[in-house]
Structure formats: structure tokens, C-alpha cells
Amino acid sequence: MHVRAPALIPDHPSFQTAAVKWVRHWNEHLFSFAIERPASFRFRSGEFVMIGLPGEGDRPVMRAYSIASPAWAEELEFLSIKVPDGPLTARLQAVRPGDQIYLAKKPTGTLVCDALLGGSRLWLLSTGTGLAPFLSLVHDPEVYQRFGQVILVHGVRRVSDLAWRHALTAQLADDPLVRDQALLQLHYLPSVTREPFHTSGRITDLIADGRLFAHPVRGTAGFDPALDRVMLCGSTAMIRDAAALLEAAGLAEGSNANPGHYVLERAFVG
Ligand code: A2P
């Protein structure tokens, strides 16, 4: 067996170091990994944090990553694209268990329950690695207490980009904190745009032609500011176009200071 010493990195005054626990490659473009959670690290489900690796001189290369684990998890999971010559991901994709990475001390973000008013349907609309904060939220009991139905939509180019597609339901069924609520309240809707799949088309197409609202989703076939709350995370183009549809339906953007009908965050892109 080939044994490789873990890659250790120099201490940095602004960042803590944390060891990689596991890595899972979905395809040549996408991977998940988790690091140990430092005892002092606190966050709300849905937030993001800067992570990175040493760069030139003493300036690490840091990027914002949504945390895919719920707020009480013992590890911090992330979902990342692989960019062959990307300043961070070219090296990050090679990490192995035991290797260290940098982690900023303070997480932040708007894809949190606190930034939304209560409602009966919560739509989690993501493309690509924008799925990550929603993986955190669907494991959080608060989400099921505050919203009647939770609809998790993941739009991707290829079937193999559907990270956690098969494992998600099994993971939730094994999670004593949320399994009963998830079974009754959560609906997972993957959609693929560049390969054949049972659901195909962009999220904005599913909204426009009404497929987003089809059975088993309950309620009106359209967004209603009195009932619907939406979180958007993914590509800049998807967020722009989906937010325009939400605004046209009368939904207003919220923030931590001013909770509203929908919130958004761009996923890390390179
Ligand atoms: P498409 O294949 O039609 O471009 P990307 O990998 O480029 O971030 O895309 C991830 C997913 O987001 C793809 O399925 C892509 O569809 C979709 N997408 C890209 N632009 C938009 C948009 N403006 N609105 C909705 N979905 C989009």
C-alpha cells in the first residue's frame, strides 16, 4: 500500500488550521470533503466561511465556501468544483485525509432561517455547488419547524453533478433529529440540462412551465408572497434570472437585519 505523509501547513496569524477527514470525488469537475471542526468554531446552518491553502509568500489563497454540515456537526463539510488551473481548487482537489487546510475564524451569510419571514413553503433553489448550504439546512430541525413544506431543487448540467443524489435520502432517514419531519415535509427535485434525465431543464424553465409546483408539492402553482419563501444559491446567471421571476411575483429580498421573502448568495465559482 502506498503511504503518504499528510501535508501540514505553516501556522498563520489570521487563520486556524484544520485536518481533512474525508474526500469524495463525484466526477472530474466536482468533489466533497470534510475537515475537523475546531472546538471554538460556531456557525448557523446555511452560512459560509473562507477556506484555503498556502499561496505565494505568506498570503494564503482563500475562497468563500458554504458549509454543507448542520450547525451542530462535529465536522465541516464542503462541496467544490475542480478548476484545472484554478488558484485554489487545482490544489484543493488533491487533498487527502490528514492534510491540513486554512479555515477563517468567522463564518457569515444570508442563507439562514433568520433572514426569512415564516411561511408555508420553503424553496431551496440551487445550481452546481450552490447545493452546499441547502445540505446544511435540510439537516436542521428549525427549517421543518418554521416551514410546512421544504422543496430542495438542484439544477446541474450532468447526472453525475447531482452530488449526494442517492445518499441524501438515506442520510436523512438515518438522522434521528430530522428523519420524521424530512419524510413528511421534504421534497427533493433534481434537474439536468445537458444529458437525458427524468426531469430536464433549467430551474427558471421549471418555474415558468409550472413543473416546479407539480405533485407532490402542495399549494398554488406559482409563488405567493404570503406563503412562499425562497433561498437561491448557485451561478450568477441563475440567481439573476430566478430573482427577477420572484420579484415579478411580488417577493421581496430579505437580509439578517431585515427578514424578507427570499434571500440569495452566489456559489464560489473558481
Ligand atoms: P445550462 O446547461 O442550460 O447552461 P453551470 O455549471 O454553468 O454553473 O450550470 C449549472 C446549471 O445551471 C446548469 O444546469 C445550467 O443550465 C444552469 N443555468 C445556467 N444559467 C442559468 C440561468 N440563467 N437560469 C437557470 N439555470 C441556469
Side-chain angles (χ1 to χ4, degrees), residues 81 126-129 154-158 161 191-195 201-205 234-242 245 269:
I81 49 171
S126 62
T127 59
T129 57
H154 192 200
V156 296
R157 295 182 183 196
R158 295 160 291 255
D161 293 332
S191 188
V192 177
T193 48
R194 302 194 189 187
E195 279 177 4
R202 292 178 165 193
I203 288 174
T204 40
D205 298 335
S235 75
T236 310
M238 182 281 283
I239 288 175
R240 182 197 58 220
D241 294 352
L245 294 175
V269 283

Side-chain angles (χ1 to χ4, degrees), residues 27-38:
N27 58 28
E28 70 274 34
H29 310 285
L30 187 68
F31 70 111
S32 291
F33 64 101
I35 58 173
E36 282 165 1
R37 179 181 190 159

Side-chain angles (χ1 to χ4, degrees), residues 204-235:
T204 40
D205 298 335
L206 304 181
I207 297 173
D209 64 20
R211 276 183 292 160
L212 200 76
F213 305 93
H215 179 80
V217 173
R218 297 180 295 271
T220 51
F223 293 116
D224 176 350
L227 303 172
D228 289 304
R229 303 295 171 254
V230 187
M231 293 189 180
L232 303 175
C233 190
S235 75

Side-chain angles (χ1 to χ4, degrees), residues 30-258:
L30 187 68
F31 70 111
S32 291
F33 64 101
I35 58 173
E36 282 165 1
R37 179 181 190 159
S40 61
F41 188 85
R42 292 170 58 102
F43 68 100
R44 295 177 295 171
S45 298
E47 286 191 316
F48 68 84
V49 65
M50 305 295 285
I51 61 174
L53 288 170
E56 298 290 313
D58 59 359
R59 289 193 58 192
V61 181
M62 305 294 288
R63 295 285 186 271
Y65 274 83
S66 287
I67 303 166
S69 320
W72 59 87
E74 283 171 14
E75 62 184 25
L76 303 175
E77 182 190 320
F78 303 98
L79 178 61
S80 179
I81 49 171
K82 306 176 188 179
V83 183
D85 44 8
L88 179 60
T89 64
R91 287 181 296 138
L92 194 60
Q93 65 178 288
V95 292
R96 308 242 201 106
D99 291 354
Q100 292 181 327
I101 68 166
Y102 288 126
L103 172 70
K105 295 190 175 119
K106 219 180 134 20
T108 183
T110 53
L111 302 177
V112 292
C113 282
D114 294 346
L116 288 179
L117 300 164
S120 59
R121 293 192 296 202
L122 174 65
W123 302 89
L124 304 173
L125 308 183
S126 62
T127 59
T129 57
L131 175 71
F134 302 153
L135 292 172
S136 169
L137 286 161
V138 297
H139 283 94
D140 193 325
E142 188 188 349
V143 166
Y144 301 100
Q145 280 151 20
R146 293 203 48 201
F147 304 97
Q149 251 196 312
V150 180
I151 305 106
L152 171 60
V153 186
H154 192 200
V156 296
R157 295 182 183 196
R158 295 160 291 255
V159 179
S160 64
D161 293 332
L162 292 171
W164 296 118
R165 172 182 167 213
H166 295 296
L168 183 64
T169 323
Q171 252 177 26
L172 290 167
D174 268 351
D175 183 338
L177 272 181
V178 293
R179 74 176 155 222
D180 297 339
Q181 293 105 312
L183 194 63
L184 290 172
Q185 294 171 245
L186 178 67
H187 173 49
Y188 166 62
L189 176 59
S191 188
V192 177
T193 48
R194 302 194 189 187
E195 279 177 4
F197 192 63
H198 60 69
T199 306
S200 56
R202 292 178 165 193
I203 288 174
T204 40
D205 298 335
L206 304 181
I207 297 173
D209 64 20
R211 276 183 292 160
L212 200 76
F213 305 93
H215 179 80
V217 173
R218 297 180 295 271
T220 51
F223 293 116
D224 176 350
L227 303 172
D228 289 304
R229 303 295 171 254
V230 187
M231 293 189 180
L232 303 175
C233 190
S235 75
T236 310
M238 182 281 283
I239 288 175
R240 182 197 58 220
D241 294 352
L245 294 175
L246 298 177
E247 292 279 342
L251 278 73
E253 188 176 351
S255 67
N256 278 287
N258 245 326

